[in-house]
Amino acid sequence: MALIDYFPVLATERLDLRELDESHVDSLYRVWTDPAVIEFLVLDPFVEVAQAMDMISLLRGLYPDQGIRWAIVERSSGSVVGTCGFHRLSLEHH
C-alpha cells in the first residue's frame, strides 16, 4: 500500500522530498555503497541491491508512528541523491 495519499511531500527550488519507494532502489544502492557517504552511517557497506530494498522497506515502515524518511530528488534531473528524515519520533510529545 502506498502512503502517498497522506505522506507529506516537501519541495524547494531545487529538490523534492517525497516518499521512498521501490523505484529508488538502484539510486539508493549507489548512494549507500559510496565510501564518502557510508563513512558517517552506522551500517556496513551494502554488497547487494537486496540490502537497499530491505533498507527502503525498513525506512518506509517507520511512518507514521516511529519516524519519517524522505527520498531527496533533484528536480532538474529526477535523480534520487539521498534520504533525510527523523527517527524516534514521539507523537505524544509532538
Side-chain angles (χ1 to χ4, degrees):
M1 175 179 112
L3 299 175
I4 202 69
D5 291 339
Y6 58 94
F7 191 93
V9 175
L10 306 174
T12 71
E13 187 175 310
R14 293 183 322 105
L15 304 170
D16 289 325
L17 277 60
R18 54 184 166 205
E19 182 180 7
L20 286 165
D21 67 42
E22 294 80 10
S23 71
H24 303 136
V25 70
D26 291 330
S27 297
L28 289 175
Y29 177 74
R30 282 190 297 279
V31 170
W32 290 327
T33 57
D34 182 334
V37 173
I38 61 166
E39 176 181 356
F40 302 102
L41 297 178
V42 187
L43 52 93
D44 292 326
F46 289 171
V47 294
E48 298 177 3
V49 174
Q51 291 172 288
M53 184 60 78
D54 291 344
M55 180 62 79
I56 290 170
S57 294
L58 181 138
L59 295 173
R60 285 175 53 94
L62 296 173
Y63 185 76
D65 299 320
Q66 300 170 348
I68 187 168
R69 198 86 183 161
W70 287 273
I72 303 170
V73 182
E74 275 186 326
R75 186 171 286 174
S76 62
S77 66
S79 298
V80 176
V81 296
T83 67
C84 65
F86 301 100
H87 300 275
R88 295 187 172 164
L89 289 180
S90 172
L91 298 178
E92 177 184 357
H93 297 104
H94 304 285

